[in-house]
Amino acid sequence: MLHYKRKGKGETLVLIHGFLGAMEIFDDVYENFTHQFDVITIDLPGHGLSELEKSSYSVYDYAKAVADVLQHEGITEATWLGHSLGGYIVLAALEEKIAPIKRVILAYSSDLSDTEEQKEKRTKQQEQIPKIGVKSFVNQLIGAFFSDNAKDETIDFAKKIAYRASEAGLIAALEAMKYRPNQHHFVEDTTTPILVIEGSNDKIVKPIETKNPNVQKMNTNTGHLGMLEDSEAFIKAVHQFMS
């Protein structure tokens, strides 16, 4: 089972980190959320303290691993918040009804599949990781996750979290992202309430475009890791949506 922690009372809020992340990526918002919600945050396989239990995962496999934690904790319904890769996992869980989901929060994520160019880039990254190691890979990539105004200590904090991932865990995550489905039409048609949090300086994903009235959008003046760059704006967006 995945490594996780649980704290707080109220409606259950599940926090799912993205690529190069771990549960600590939510440290700046976690305690605030526990004042109003029953919060569960997890480490994905090969990240943080979660073991990689098999060599390959799909976004559906990740979703089932998260659902196993919720079942173990006796949770019957929750709001799922997914950052980046975590957002792909949330949409997979919602689409396949892997667990009862009341609301969805997509933080700096996308409803699209990879382009051929993106797939090729991920393949090159998969080949590169064993050659240069996790630390060097993180160092050359993590800067793109932030806006130009991000503080050095914030970037260093994200690096330390990313360093803890295993080579195999990162390679598996890249594979899952590379072959994730296009969820655009699903997002267009779903009746489940969705909040999309976007960063005005996000260099990693393109904005989600939808006319679905069940989808709300909020913006932070940040890059791809808005929960670190501007935790107050991130907290405000989540509370407004949840209330």
Side-chain angles (χ1 to χ4, degrees):
M1 184 174 292
L2 300 179
H3 175 254
Y4 68 95
K5 64 179 179 180
R6 182 181 187 182
K7 184 179 179 182
K9 293 181 180 180
E11 180 179 342
T12 303
L13 174 63
V14 184
L15 306 179
I16 306 170
H17 68 80
F19 185 62
L20 300 185
M23 65 169 63
E24 289 85 359
I25 210 74
F26 295 108
D27 273 4
D28 288 352
V29 301
Y30 179 80
E31 286 298 328
N32 179 284
F33 289 157
T34 63
H35 296 158
Q36 190 169 336
F37 309 118
D38 172 18
V39 185
I40 292 184
T41 182
I42 57 95
D43 288 333
L44 292 175
H47 296 70
L49 296 177
S50 286
E51 298 289 333
L52 196 71
E53 296 181 350
K54 54 184 183 177
S55 59
S56 65
Y57 287 80
S58 68
V59 288
Y60 300 100
D61 293 328
Y62 286 133
K64 289 172 184 175
V66 174
D68 286 345
V69 170
L70 303 187
Q71 185 177 27
H72 178 75
E73 287 291 318
I75 294 168
T76 55
E77 186 180 59
T79 293
W80 286 35
L81 184 159
H83 170 250
S84 197
L85 164 61
Y88 312 150
I89 294 167
V90 173
L91 287 178
L94 185 64
E95 175 205 5
E96 289 296 311
K97 298 180 174 61
I98 289 170
I101 297 177
K102 184 177 181 180
R103 302 185 191 91
V104 163
I105 301 173
L106 303 176
Y108 317 103
S109 192
S110 174
D111 58 358
L112 303 176
S113 57
D114 267 4
T115 64
E116 290 305 313
E117 182 181 356
Q118 289 170 323
K119 288 179 181 179
E120 184 178 342
K121 181 179 179 180
R122 294 199 200 278
T123 298
K124 290 179 179 178
Q125 289 174 330
Q126 288 174 305
E127 294 169 349
Q128 183 184 36
I129 290 170
K131 296 176 182 177
I132 67 173
V134 170
K135 190 171 183 178
S136 293
F137 178 74
V138 169
N139 288 344
Q140 71 178 21
L141 190 64
I142 201 73
F145 282 47
F146 292 93
S147 70
D148 295 338
N149 299 320
K151 297 177 181 178
D152 289 340
E153 56 264 36
T154 303
I155 298 172
D156 289 340
F157 178 71
K159 284 182 180 179
K160 290 176 182 176
I161 293 172
Y163 291 161
R164 295 167 53 211
S166 67
E167 290 184 5
L170 294 180
I171 291 170
L174 285 164
E175 191 77 0
M177 290 189 288
K178 186 163 60 174
Y179 293 112
R180 72 184 186 275
N182 188 316
Q183 298 281 25
H184 177 69
H185 292 297
F186 177 75
V187 169
E188 278 291 301
D189 296 336
T190 186
T191 57
T192 300
I194 295 178
L195 170 64
V196 175
I197 304 177
E198 296 176 343
S200 57
N201 297 297
D202 193 339
K203 307 164 192 169
I204 303 299
V205 296
K206 293 181 179 180
I208 292 175
E209 301 294 341
T210 178
K211 296 180 180 178
N212 187 338
N214 297 300
V215 180
Q216 301 178 36
K217 280 192 172 190
M218 294 187 185
N219 188 276
T220 59
N221 188 26
T222 69
H224 193 60
L225 286 167
M227 71 285 282
L228 292 181
E229 277 198 70
D230 191 345
S231 59
E232 290 186 7
F234 190 89
I235 288 168
K236 182 179 180 181
V238 172
H239 278 296
Q240 286 183 352
F241 177 67
M242 295 284 281
S243 63

